[in-house]
Amino acid sequence: MVTSCFAERFGDFIEITPTERQALARLEERTRSLKRGAVLIRENDNQGELFILVSGTAMTYVLLDDGSRQILRFLFPGDMIGFSSLVYVRSAETIAAVSDCVVAAFDRQLLTKIITDHPRLSALVMTMNQLERIALLDRLVALGRTSAKARVAAILLEIRDSRAVADGWSANSFLLGLTQEEIGDATGLTAVHVNRMLRQLDEEGLIARDNGRVTLVNEAALTRLANYTNRFNGIDLSWLPPGR
Amino acid sequence: MVTSCFAERFGDFIEITPTERQALARLEERTRSLKRGAVLIRENDNQGELFILVSGTAMTYVLLDDGSRQILRFLFPGDMIGFSSLVYVRSAETIAAVSDCVVAAFDRQLLTKIITDHPRLSALVMTMNQLERIALLDRLVALGRTSAKARVAAILLEIRDSRAVADGWSANSFLLGLTQEEIGDATGLTAVHVNRMLRQLDEEGLIARDNGRVTLVNEAALTRLANYTNRFNGIDLSWLPPGR
DNA sequence: CGGTAAATTGACCTGGGTCAATAAATGTGG
DNA sequence: CCACATTTATTGACCCAGGTCAATTTACCG
């Protein structure tokens, strides 16, 4: 049976046809392993390749002149990587492995072919792009208008839910897999302040920590505090064209 | 001659075929006028319609429980509106008119049809979505890692360049068309602090102001200060499938 | 077991927020 | 075209959330 990380992402929503599955499988033929910290695409690079994350966690970020870093998004298995180097001559963001990862590389011409031959997959790719846009949107709101504590709470929930989708099951205790500096760079805070916020959330009984492992003790309160919405719910694919 | 705001957006890059032009024109048949301040789509709404902005300036924002607002993006003629209510049952963001505007409404089924019949237009829609994603990304970086002054400078440049694309010509003096409160809600600042930053930029000789009109006196310095990249340059459409 | 990356914590500082008062600008009805 | 009402812009005084710096401690790794 031909498999595809990307297809699995939407397995619960739609039935992929055999032809479609085959087309998607072609995207994941050439895999490559990355060690924690390795850079896959550097800002301003362009090698004309796209990727699908097969396993592990990756992230995208931008470095500023003063050396500070803004992490834009964490990536999980099934995520498509590198659209910004598709549309622009130079990539707007750097993409790097947060944990050891496996990625599948494919040429942009393969995407062009899918768009031409498989309208429904084309719509799925659009959907993925929108989901990603909305993840950015949520983080943007958090950075612009919520407190440090809320942002840290939000990222804990986001990581838990993203991992749940990739792994297929959800637990309220999980390995975070991020350093406090990474959390800070994602939330627009310093590592020091992230530490203080984690301690507070801990002291207030909202979470418990044990070496990288986080337990969401009071998820409802955390969700409220963080102004968090689980974006994996409420997806609507009723507008998709039929499969080919 | 059939016209399309959306098509014009990419007129410099590719030659649209007559059939394509016709398909796009169908998206803009039903227009509607909006008064400044009117809400087109409310957060959590869903009427299953998409829009193209024909004239004027609009914005998307999210309101938080405490009443604060984060403006995500300003929209200009040719922008497609409402993708988040396409992919989700409920819209993630509110869309409202910043100035009096005209929008064209079309049913999501029309988009489905375009995806099915016109692969190249489908790729163009994807491109638009990416451009929008990258606009969010730039703002995210600004909010997370740059100073208030830099963010205000960035928004001035962004508005100027966006308007230039929509109008087809660029000037270093333009009507901002935003209140300082709107600038604040877009940059994650208070209106009061936006005012202070504008004054500083003015005093430092980077800009000049005269009622809502802004003149970029030292654009190079402003660009450097803001860490600004003009995303209307460097677009690559070489991967697009041929037109039908 | 030494060496480095990551987490913690305290002391202190500052960029941007809050509150409040005033002045300009813009709109509205008559 | 005027008088009044409502936004919007401006400025000062003061405050605090989150940053900076520096010192330890703890975890991880060859």
Side-chain angles (χ1 to χ4, degrees), chain A residues 179-180 195-196 199 209:
Chain A
T179 66
Q180 294 180 359
N195 185 285
R196 292 195 274 243
R199 175 154 57 101
R209 291 173 299 157

Side-chain angles (χ1 to χ4, degrees), chain A residues 9-25:
Chain A
R9 198 59 169 279
F10 291 100
D12 297 341
F13 296 99
I14 60 169
E15 198 66 41
I16 304 273
T17 67
T19 346
E20 283 175 340
R21 185 173 297 277
Q22 207 124 46
L24 289 178

Side-chain angles (χ1 to χ4, degrees), chain A residues 7 20 37 44 50 66 86 117 130-131 135 189 195 198 207 223:
Chain A
E20 283 175 340
N44 293 327
L50 297 172
D66 65 357
L86 173 71
D117 299 342
Q130 281 308 310
L131 299 188
L189 300 169
N195 185 285
L198 285 171
I207 66 171
T223 303

Side-chain angles (χ1 to χ4, degrees), chain A residues 3 16 21 24 45 82-83 101 125 144 153 194 209 224 229 238:
Chain A
T3 60
I16 304 273
R21 185 173 297 277
L24 289 178
D45 259 13
F83 271 85
C101 314
V125 171
V194 167
R209 291 173 299 157
R224 210 170 327 112
T229 307
S238 63

Side-chain angles (χ1 to χ4, degrees), chain B residues 36 180 195-196 199 209:
Chain B
R36 166 168 181 27
Q180 293 180 1
N195 185 284
R196 293 195 274 243
R199 174 153 58 103
R209 291 174 299 157

